[in-house]
């Protein structure tokens, strides 16, 4: 085998190795990379979002006899302005209650919006206030916060409660190339406690994770990669260490110079 042939083979081997390395490197940026592309996959996650203190609720009662529901729509009636109707909501107290017209105090904590709507309908029928009530309950201040290595970190506000972690990232412009997609931190509030967990968006297991659907007040943190941390350290900390090192060397030199001078005097 002559030198030219060896060179060609070595070059081809290096190119193949570089392509393989590039393919492996780019795979860390792929979402759900291990999921089959030609099969149906069922999402078994049970999405349940319950009400909690400080939630702002829109509650409206409908009926075929509009006059009968007027007393129950006092808090969600429209203001006189035609251009921009103002909707007032019910704030869930720290005890998990709201004060509803006529019915009084209702404990809504740990209820879903549909459960609360059914409960109010039952109370209206049982009390013979409305024969055919249709109650609409929606969450007016659903919000999650996305921070870290995303294009546009922000607090997201939507109407309703159904938001997946992928939708949240899409609203924020997706994770940057320096974001760790396989180690996303989710901070969740539950019963006045905080739950901190991590999810892997590159695995199909995210589809069955309790964090696939985000809940009220969730915080999603996209951690920077080790490479980004090293760059940040060099850009931010290295000048500080350099300045400190120069100052330390100068101080040591002055101390040594003074010591030598004292010895010469003696």
């Amino acid at each position: 085998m002559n030198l030219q042939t060896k060179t060609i083979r070595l070059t081809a081997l290096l190119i193949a190795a570089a392509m393989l390395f590039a393919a492996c490197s780019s795979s860390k940026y792929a979402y759900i990379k291990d999921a089959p592309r030609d099969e149906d996959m069922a999402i078994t996650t049970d999405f349940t979002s319950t009400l909690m203190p400080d939630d702002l609720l829109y509650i409206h009662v409908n009926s075929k006899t509009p006059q009968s529901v007027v007393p129950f729509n006092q808090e969600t009636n429209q203001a006189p302005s035609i251009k921009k109707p103002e909707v007032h909501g019910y704030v869930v107290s720290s005890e998990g209650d709201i004060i509803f017209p006529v019915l009084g105090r209702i404990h809504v904590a740990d209820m879903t919006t549909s459960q609360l709507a059914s409960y109010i309908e039952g109370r209206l029928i049982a009390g013979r206030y409305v024969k055919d009530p249709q109650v609409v309950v929606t969450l007016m201040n659903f919000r999650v916060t996305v921070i870290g290595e995303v294009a546009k970190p922000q607090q997201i506000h939507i109407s309703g409660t159904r938001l997946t972690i992928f939708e949240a990232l899409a609203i924020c412009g997706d994770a940057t190339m320096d974001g760790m997609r396989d180690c996303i931190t989710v901070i969740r509030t539950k019963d006045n406690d905080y739950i901190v967990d991590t999810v892997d968006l590159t695995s199909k297991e995210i589809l069955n994770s309790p964090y696939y659907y985000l809940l009220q007040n969730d915080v999603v943190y996209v951690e920077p990669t080790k490479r980004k941390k090293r760059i940040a350290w060099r850009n931010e900390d290295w000048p500080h260490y350099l300045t400190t090192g120069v100052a330390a060397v100068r101080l040591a030199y002055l101390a040594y110079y003074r010591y030598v001078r004292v010895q010469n005097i003696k």
Side-chain angles (χ1 to χ4, degrees), residues 90-189:
Y90 297 87
V91 179
V92 181
S93 69
S94 57
E95 292 79 20
D97 303 331
I98 63 170
I99 305 299
F100 194 74
V102 183
L103 301 183
R105 185 179 301 275
I106 301 176
H107 187 72
V108 302
D110 298 327
M111 282 188 181
T112 64
T113 53
S114 59
Q115 288 172 342
L116 178 57
S118 298
Y119 175 82
I120 294 176
E121 289 175 355
R123 288 282 303 275
L124 294 178
I125 294 173
R128 297 183 179 180
Y129 299 112
V130 184
K131 291 183 178 179
D132 57 344
Q134 294 180 339
V135 179
V136 176
V137 180
T138 57
L139 187 61
M140 298 173 62
N141 65 336
F142 180 85
R143 61 187 180 274
V144 299
T145 304
V146 182
I147 56 177
E149 283 296 327
V150 291
K152 296 180 292 183
Q154 60 182 292
Q155 189 175 80
I156 301 172
H157 298 262
I158 66 168
S159 58
T161 59
R162 198 178 183 90
L163 180 72
T164 70
I165 191 169
F166 288 111
E167 291 170 334
L169 289 175
I171 293 173
C172 295
D174 201 5
T176 68
M177 299 301 284
D178 291 313
M180 293 179 60
R181 289 164 170 77
D182 58 350
C183 189
I184 305 290
T185 300
V186 180
I187 305 173
R188 176 163 294 176
T189 306

